Amino acid sequence: MFSSATNFGLTLLCGRLLGPSGLGIVAVGFGAYQFVAGLQRALVMHPVVADAAPLRGGERRWLAESGLTVVACSGGVATLAMAAAGLAIGGNVGRGLLLFSPWLVVALLQEYWKAILFQERRGAAAALSDAVRFSVMALSLPLILVWEHDYVIVSAWGLGAGVGLAAALLSVPGRPQKVQAAFMIWRDRAWGLGRWLAARETIYQVFMYATVLILALVLGTEGLGGLRSAEALFSPFSLVAAALVLPSLPALSRAAAVSHHNAVALAFRICAVAVAFGLAYMVIMAFIGPWLLTHLFGSAFSPFSNLVWPM
C-alpha cells in the first residue's frame, strides 16, 4: 500500500501544485517508467521469483542476484534510451521523459529487490522498504511546496526509491553477479517463462503508452493531466495490485511445487479477494468520486469529474 501511496502522492502533488497541464507532462514520463517497469516484471522479476521460490537458500539467492544484475544493466540501457528520446523529441513530451530518466534504474531495482524480499518470506522488510520510500517523499514536502517545480516533485519520488532500495538491501543483502554469467543464468532459468510474459506485456504496454502519447498530442498535456487524475483516483487495481501480486507469486510457486490442485485453489481465492475489493471500491466511488476528485486535486480538475463513470 505504501508503494501505491507514493505513486498516488506523486500524482496528487503534481495535480495540486502544477495543475492539469503540469500533471500531463509528468504523466508522459511516468507512463514511460511504467512501460519499462512492466517489461522488467515480465522478463526478469516474475519468472525469477516463480523459478526461485521453491529452491533451497543458496541456489535461490544466486538466481535472485543474477536477476539483480540483469535489471541493473537493462535499466541502464533503458535510461539512456529514455534520455535520448527526451532530448530528440523536446517540448512537453520530451520534458516528461527527461524528468524520470535519472531515476529509472533505482526505481526498477527497488521494485525488483522488494519482490525478492517477499520471495525470502521477508514481507515486513519489503513493506519497510516502501514505507521508507514514502517517508522520504513526505519529508521532501517542505521543499516541494517552496519550489513547486515538476523536477523537484519527481526528484523526491526518485530519491525515495533510492533510499527504499538501500533499506531493502540492508534487510537482505545482495551483490550483483558478473554480467555475462548473470545473463546466461537468466537465459537458462527465466527466459522460458519470461518470453511469454514479455510478449503479453509488450503488447499491453505498447498500446497503453501509445494511448498516452496520442492523447498528449490530441488533447494536450492539460487533457492528459485530467485523465491521469481520474486514473489515479478511480483505479482500484493500482491500490491492490502490488499487495496481491508480490506475496502471491512466490506462494503460488511454492504451492504448485507441492500440489497443482492446491495452487489452483489458492489462485481462485486470491482472485475472489481482488474482485470483492474492486466491486466495493466501485460502489463507493460511484457516490463520492466527483466530489473527491475536485477536493483532492483542486477546482481546476472539476471539468474532468465526468470521467468517474468511465473509470
Side-chain angles (χ1 to χ4, degrees), residues 52-263:
L55 301 178
R56 295 185 179 275
E59 188 178 5
R60 188 174 65 243
R61 183 68 61 83
W62 170 67
L63 184 55
E65 290 177 345
S66 299
L68 186 69
T69 302
V70 174
V71 172
C73 293
S74 58
V77 172
T79 294
L80 295 176
M82 187 185 295
L87 292 171
I89 295 170
N92 288 335
V93 172
R95 181 177 179 84
L97 296 174
L98 291 172
L99 285 172
F100 281 85
S101 58
W103 307 106
L104 185 61
V105 172
V106 292
L108 294 175
L109 288 172
Q110 191 267 341
E111 183 174 356
Y112 173 76
W113 204 249
K114 179 178 63 178
I116 298 302
L117 291 178
F118 277 107
Q119 172 193 283
E120 297 295 317
R121 305 190 185 193
R122 298 288 301 276
L128 176 63
S129 173
D130 273 340
V132 169
R133 182 178 183 180
F134 177 80
S135 299
V136 169
M137 191 166 182
L139 292 172
S140 303
L141 190 58
L143 295 177
I144 292 172
L145 294 176
V146 169
W147 275 288
E148 295 188 7
H149 290 299
D150 50 9
Y151 62 86
V152 177
I153 302 173
V154 175
S155 294
W157 176 88
L159 182 62
V163 179
L165 171 63
L169 288 171
L170 284 173
S171 299
V172 174
R175 57 182 181 86
Q177 300 292 328
K178 293 183 178 179
V179 174
Q180 184 177 2
F183 273 89
M184 289 181 63
I185 293 165
W186 167 78
R187 183 194 62 190
D188 294 340
R189 305 294 295 268
W191 175 243
L193 173 61
R195 61 184 176 180
W196 296 108
L197 295 178
R200 180 210 63 187
E201 194 69 21
T202 298
I203 294 171
Y204 174 76
Q205 292 292 346
V206 164
F207 275 99
M208 288 294 292
Y209 195 56
T211 301
V212 170
L213 295 178
I214 291 170
L215 287 172
L217 293 173
V218 174
L219 302 178
T221 53
E222 182 172 356
L224 179 62
L227 179 63
R228 175 60 189 153
S229 68
E231 286 178 339
L233 188 60
F234 303 127
S235 174
F237 190 71
S238 66
L239 296 175
V240 75
L244 286 176
V245 172
L246 289 174
S248 298
L249 181 58
L252 285 167
S253 184
R254 286 189 288 266
V258 176
S259 166
H260 175 76
H261 174 76
N262 290 344

Side-chain angles (χ1 to χ4, degrees), residues 267-286:
F268 272 102
R269 290 198 296 273
I270 294 169
C271 289
V273 171
V275 171
F277 180 88
L279 289 174
Y281 197 95
M282 183 185 70
V283 171
I284 294 171
M285 283 298 166

